[in-house]
């Protein structure tokens, strides 16, 4: 557990310390700079990684935060000198100053950390080597390892096989750079760094980002700010949905930065002085860059929120302190909406987005069920219904519509809900129009629903709390009016919220039906995915440790990725050939991959096989689930035995192979040809 805490703290320091000075240099105040620091850090990690690769300069990963800190230090020093010379000043960021916001931020982190302790920590059990047996995780861990092995961190040249000579291509690998940096402080322990980074983003970065957003759009509303602490980590759909589906770790980082980016957009438009607007604009550019570098579909989430905000902003515009005539405001808002729709439709036709937009996840629910799930925040069968949280979202939406403040949030949330319903329940053009930018992946669209629902839930919780306090005061004829009464009601509502998150709901329908709480469904799924009895078992992990002691450094090991060995490059640094449940590399290596997978067992009498093995540097064969085993722990994703005959048919009697290590159904062979 101490190793996990250490990894988390290192990630927090890596994200916040280097970027803080960069945001301060833009002209924002201390708390705003703190809240936005991870954005600046991630943005400059990617920029530096690309620049160093283009210049052909490899370096240890820990150099990146040092370089960003140095850049920030120089820039901030220059700003301080300008402040003294020209009278420039730091901005307040549009939020209250003093200790209060820091105390509230600490509350956010504390509540989110408590939820993490219940939901995520049991899944990994404090094990520094724990990792999720998800398909995407093989790539996440391998890319981070490849960054460490090569000393290059460019998102333009990303591949899991960099150390095997593949040049790679563009991939939004911001998350992987962060993990590589954290791992460089942990003896290159990629799995531990990934777990620490996950906790850091869920328990610290995202909660503080939510607070920054609420302070911008609910100025002076301390009750809403305090309520937000309860919800930043309470929704299944985000960030938790991205940990059980995929895992979608890059997308998680992208979505984390959306809310602060929207707050910066508002600051850029609503602040009064040019300097304040420029400060917010500079920070916004970094935020949009960080979103795109992590996963470009986050930019489209921002586009939806920004469009709704801008339409409301135009409708509420004033001149000389007075509102413009209603007809003109309606016309401007209508033109803005038409422009937003036109740009959206044009983007659907952009050539380089066609592979994304045309991707199809088949419908999984009938329309009525999708509607219920969309409104009650269950976006896949890996999540659970969240009835109390949904109630708070509805209350927040009603309050926003009633007082005509932040109506744009309701509009953005409603759009996202409709997009999810169409995506999850239908197949056709409308599905791609509404959700194509997210691969028509209903889990990603559901996460977008959550991003706009969190502020509404915070608003609704505060509204309901105030309404109950007034009702109690009226019923008691003033005897139960005051801070003590309000605090007691707040405690009761908070207890009800957490009961709904972690305890089942039993309804007397059809003899009684038990609905498992959402976060418990998440926890159960995480425990399965991180279990040492699933795909790569504890015994297999121990076997891999012994393999590391035997094989020659740098020698390539042929393997069957579905037996659990796919993760062993990322977690153990073993130089395996197949690092995901599919063929090696890409289309350029399809022929060599096919020969190894289909014919490696014939290496003793097949010259073509020998040549391919020599060219690739294959010296060993690893089998974690030999065909002779009775209890094989395979992943059957994209697995067909016929595709792996050349490897799985190898036995101690096969000519050209020498058995080096054997235990149960696990084997390590050396190629003797």
């Amino acid at each position: 557990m101490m190793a996990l805490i250490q990894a988390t703290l290192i990630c927090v320091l890596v994200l916040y310390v280097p970027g803080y000075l960069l945001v301060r240099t833009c002209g924002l105040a201390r708390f705003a700079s703190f809240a936005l620091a991870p954005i600046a850090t991630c943005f400059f990690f990617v920029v530096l990684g690309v620049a160093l690769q283009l210049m052909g300069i490899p370096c240890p990963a820990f150099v990146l935060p040092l370089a960003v800190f140095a850049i920030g230090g120089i820039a901030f020093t220059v700003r301080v000198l300008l402040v003294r010379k020209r009278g420039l000043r730091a901005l307040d960021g549009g939020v209250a100053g003093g200790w209060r916001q820091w105390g509230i931020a600490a509350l956010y982190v504390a509540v989110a950390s408590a939820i993490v302790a219940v939901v995520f920590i049991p899944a990994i059990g404090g094990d520094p080597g724990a990792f999720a047996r998800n398909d995407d995780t093989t790539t996440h861990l391998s890319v981070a390892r490849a960054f460490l092995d090569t000393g290059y961190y460019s998102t333009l040249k990303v591949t899991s096989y960099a150390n095997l000579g593949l040049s790679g291509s563009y991939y939004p690998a911001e998350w992987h750079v962060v993990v590589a940096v954290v791992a460089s402080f942990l003896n290159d322990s990629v799995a531990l760094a990934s777990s620490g980074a996950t906790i850091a983003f869920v328990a610290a970065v995202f909660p503080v980002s939510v607070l920054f957003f609420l302070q911008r759009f609910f100025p002076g509303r301390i009750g809403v700010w305090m309520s937000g602490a309860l919800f930043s980590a309470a929704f299944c759909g985000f960030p938790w949905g991205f940990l059980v589906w995929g895992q979608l770790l890059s997308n998680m980082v992208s979505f984390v930065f959306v809310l602060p980016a929207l707050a910066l957009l508002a600051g850029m438009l609503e602040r009064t002085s040019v300097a304040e607007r420029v400060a917010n604009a500079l920070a916004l550019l970094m935020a949009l860059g960080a979103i795109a570098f992590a996963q470009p579909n986050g930019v489209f989430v921002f586009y939806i929120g920004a469009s709704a905000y801008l339409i409301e902003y135009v409708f509420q515009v004033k001149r000389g302190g007075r509102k413009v005539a209603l007809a003109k405001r309606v016309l401007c808002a209508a033109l803005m909406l038409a422009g937003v729709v036109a740009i959206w439709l044009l983007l659907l036709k952009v050539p380089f987005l066609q592979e994304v937009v045309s991707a199809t996840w088949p419908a999984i629910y009938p329309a009525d069920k999708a509607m219920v799930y969309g409104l009650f925040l269950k976006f896949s069968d890996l999540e659970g219904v969240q009835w109390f949280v949904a109630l708070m979202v509805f209350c927040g939406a009603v309050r926003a519509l009633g007082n005509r403040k932040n109506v744009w949030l309701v509009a953005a949330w409603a759009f996202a809900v409709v997009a999810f319903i169409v995506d999850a329940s239908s197949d056709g053009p409308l599905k791609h129009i509404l959700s194509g930018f997210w691969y028509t992946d209903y889990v990603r669209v559901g996460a977008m629903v959550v991003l706009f629902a969190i502020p509404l839930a915070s608003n609704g919780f505060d509204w309901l709390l105030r309404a109950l306090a007034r009702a109690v005061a009226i019923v008691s004829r003033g005897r139960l009016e005051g801070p003590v009464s309000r605090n007691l009601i707040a405690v009761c509502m908070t207890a009800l919220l957490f009961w709904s998150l972690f305890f089942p709901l039993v309804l007397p329908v059809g003899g009684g039906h038990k609905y498992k709480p959402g976060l418990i469904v998440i926890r159960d799924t995480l425990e399965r995915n991180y279990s040492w009895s699933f795909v790569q078992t504890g015994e297999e992990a121990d076997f891999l440790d012994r393999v590391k002691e035997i094989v020659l450094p740098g020698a390539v090991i042929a393997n069957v990725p579905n037996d659990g060995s796919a993760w062993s490059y990322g977690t153990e640094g073993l130089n395996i050939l197949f690092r995901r449940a599919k063929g090696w590399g890409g289309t350029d290596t399809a022929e060599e991959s096919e020969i190894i997978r289909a014919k490696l067992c014939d290496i003793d009498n097949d010259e073509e096989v020998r040549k391919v093995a020599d060219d690739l540097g294959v010296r060993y064969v690893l089998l974690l689930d030999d065909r002779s085993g009775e209890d094989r722990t395979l992943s059957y994703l994209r697995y067909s035995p016929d595709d792996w005959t050349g490897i799985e048919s190898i036995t101690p009697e096969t000519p050209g192979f020498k058995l080096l290590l054997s235990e149960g159904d696990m084997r390590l062979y050396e190629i003797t040809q």
Side-chain angles (χ1 to χ4, degrees):
M1 180 60 75
M2 289 305 300
L4 187 62
I5 294 174
Q6 179 187 19
T8 303
L9 292 177
I10 288 174
C11 186
V12 169
L13 292 173
V14 162
L15 290 171
Y16 280 94
V17 174
Y20 175 80
L21 290 177
L22 288 166
V23 185
R24 284 285 285 162
T25 301
C26 292
L28 294 172
R30 291 181 177 83
F31 181 77
S33 299
F34 169 74
L36 299 170
I39 288 175
T41 297
C42 290
F43 175 80
F44 275 88
F45 275 0
V46 174
V47 172
L48 277 176
V50 171
L52 291 172
Q53 190 275 328
L54 291 176
M55 292 186 291
I57 303 175
C59 65
F62 63 78
V63 170
L64 293 182
L66 297 178
V68 173
F69 183 78
I71 293 171
I74 294 171
F76 185 68
T77 300
V78 172
R79 177 175 173 79
V80 169
L81 295 176
L82 290 175
V83 167
R84 293 177 178 176
K85 184 176 181 180
R86 300 183 181 180
L88 297 178
R89 61 187 180 88
L91 309 179
D92 63 9
V95 299
W99 59 268
R100 176 178 289 174
Q101 58 191 340
W102 295 96
I104 296 176
L107 176 64
Y108 272 69
V109 174
V111 173
S113 298
I115 295 176
V116 167
V118 175
V119 177
F120 186 71
I121 298 300
I124 58 179
D127 184 350
F131 62 93
R133 275 61 165 181
N134 296 70
D135 181 47
D136 288 358
T137 308
T138 59
T139 298
H140 296 322
L141 298 176
S142 294
V143 168
R145 175 70 65 182
F147 281 156
L148 291 168
D149 284 350
T150 62
Y152 290 113
Y153 312 92
S154 173
T155 57
L156 302 181
K157 298 288 184 179
V158 178
T159 175
S160 300
Y161 305 90
N163 67 322
L164 295 181
L166 271 68
S167 60
S169 58
Y170 167 75
Y171 182 79
E174 186 172 277
W175 162 265
H176 311 82
V177 177
V178 172
V179 171
V181 169
V182 175
S184 68
F185 292 97
L186 299 168
N187 196 29
D188 288 355
S189 178
V190 173
L192 176 60
S194 181
S195 295
T198 299
I199 295 173
F201 273 96
V202 174
V205 180
F206 185 56
V208 175
S209 298
V210 170
L211 174 59
F212 181 73
F213 176 91
L214 293 177
Q215 289 179 331
R216 165 63 64 189
F217 289 102
F218 298 87
R221 301 278 292 279
I222 305 297
V224 176
W225 301 358
M226 297 287 287
S227 299
L230 302 174
F231 294 101
S232 65
F235 286 77
C236 288
F238 186 81
W240 299 111
F242 282 4
L243 298 185
V244 296
W245 181 268
Q247 295 175 318
L248 305 178
L249 299 174
S250 297
N251 226 146
M252 179 184 71
V253 175
S254 179
F255 278 30
V256 162
F257 295 152
V258 168
L259 292 183
L262 289 170
L264 289 168
L265 173 66
M268 184 180 70
L269 295 176
E270 296 175 5
R271 306 303 290 172
T272 56
S273 74
V274 174
E276 291 172 326
R277 292 182 175 182
V278 169
N280 281 273
L282 290 174
L284 176 60
L285 288 175
M286 286 193 291
L288 292 176
I291 291 170
F293 294 154
Q295 172 50 259
N297 64 38
V299 175
F300 293 99
V301 180
F302 172 84
Y303 182 84
I304 291 170
S307 299
Y309 166 76
L310 289 172
I311 291 171
E312 180 178 296
Y313 179 79
V314 169
F315 187 75
Q316 300 290 347
V317 69
K318 296 181 180 180
R319 286 184 180 177
R322 302 177 63 181
K323 283 188 177 180
V324 179
L326 179 61
K328 292 183 179 180
R329 289 187 284 124
V330 170
L331 177 60
C332 289
L335 291 174
M336 177 71 73
L337 177 60
V340 165
V341 173
I343 293 173
W344 185 274
L345 295 176
L346 287 173
L347 289 171
L348 287 169
K349 300 296 183 181
V350 173
F352 70 84
L353 291 175
Q354 291 311 297
E355 184 177 354
V356 173
V357 172
S358 61
T360 298
W361 285 87
I364 56 170
Y365 302 128
D368 57 345
K369 191 173 185 179
M371 181 178 297
V372 172
Y373 280 0
L375 292 173
F376 285 90
L377 307 167
K378 174 182 168 67
F379 305 110
S380 78
D381 290 335
L382 300 178
E383 303 172 17
V385 171
Q386 297 192 281
W387 62 272
F388 187 80
V389 176
L391 176 62
M392 295 302 99
V393 176
F394 300 147
C395 289
V398 171
R399 187 187 196 186
L401 293 173
N403 60 22
R404 298 181 183 179
K405 293 182 179 179
N406 294 316
V407 175
W408 71 271
L409 263 177
V410 182
W413 165 71
F415 173 87
V417 170
V418 170
F420 169 79
I421 294 170
V422 172
D423 187 14
S425 65
S426 68
D427 294 298
L430 184 60
K431 178 191 187 88
H432 291 273
I433 290 173
L434 294 180
S435 60
F437 296 122
W438 299 273
Y439 307 93
T440 67
D441 181 346
Y442 35 83
V443 174
R444 299 181 204 247
V445 177
M448 177 170 58
V449 174
V450 171
L451 282 182
F452 299 123
I454 289 174
L456 292 176
S458 307
N459 191 35
F461 190 91
D462 176 62
W463 187 42
L464 186 59
L465 173 60
R466 292 173 181 271
L468 289 175
R470 286 194 298 269
V472 169
I474 292 172
V475 171
S476 67
R477 297 182 180 180
R479 291 191 297 272
L480 297 179
E481 185 176 12
V484 175
S485 176
R486 288 196 298 271
N487 290 340
L488 180 60
I489 294 172
V491 169
C492 292
M493 285 184 60
T494 302
L496 181 60
L497 167 64
F498 282 97
W499 175 80
S500 74
L501 294 177
F502 297 109
F503 292 91
L505 173 67
V506 180
L507 296 179
V509 179
H513 188 81
K514 179 181 289 188
Y515 290 90
K516 205 169 186 181
L519 290 185
I520 296 303
V521 176
I522 295 288
R523 187 189 68 187
D524 292 347
T525 304
L526 286 171
E527 287 182 346
R528 174 181 179 271
N529 289 350
Y530 280 82
S531 170
W532 286 106
S533 61
F534 180 50
V535 188
Q536 188 188 116
T537 66
E539 292 79 8
E540 290 170 346
D542 292 339
F543 187 79
L544 290 172
D545 287 337
R546 291 194 291 277
V547 168
K548 286 180 64 177
E549 298 174 356
I550 294 176
V551 299
L552 295 174
V556 178
I557 307 169
N559 66 301
V560 179
N562 298 75
D563 63 12
S565 58
W567 291 278
S568 60
Y569 173 65
T571 59
E572 303 287 342
L574 281 172
N575 206 15
I576 57 170
L577 184 61
F578 298 102
R579 298 173 182 179
R580 197 172 185 184
K582 60 180 181 180
W584 174 66
T587 56
D588 294 340
T589 59
E591 184 177 353
E592 293 94 330
S593 172
E594 174 65 23
I595 290 171
I596 293 294
R597 289 185 289 111
K599 298 181 180 181
L600 185 60
C601 59
D602 300 325
I603 196 170
D604 188 60
N605 54 31
D606 191 318
E607 182 64 32
E608 181 185 39
V609 176
R610 280 199 295 272
K611 183 179 185 310
V612 171
D614 287 343
D615 289 345
L616 295 177
V618 179
R619 293 285 304 274
Y620 303 93
V621 176
L622 172 67
L623 292 170
L624 295 182
D625 288 284
D626 187 76
R627 283 183 175 179
S628 63
E630 297 180 355
D631 188 22
R632 304 177 76 194
T633 55
L634 290 172
S635 167
Y636 289 92
L637 178 67
R638 298 189 293 268
Y639 173 76
S640 172
D642 294 339
D643 292 337
W644 301 95
T645 302
I647 297 177
E648 289 193 320
S649 62
I650 295 172
T651 69
E653 291 75 35
T654 303
F657 298 89
K658 177 184 178 182
L659 182 64
L660 297 180
L661 193 62
S662 175
E663 181 180 332
D665 62 356
M666 299 173 286
R667 310 280 186 269
L668 175 66
Y669 297 94
E670 182 180 11
I671 298 175
T672 58
Q673 288 296 324

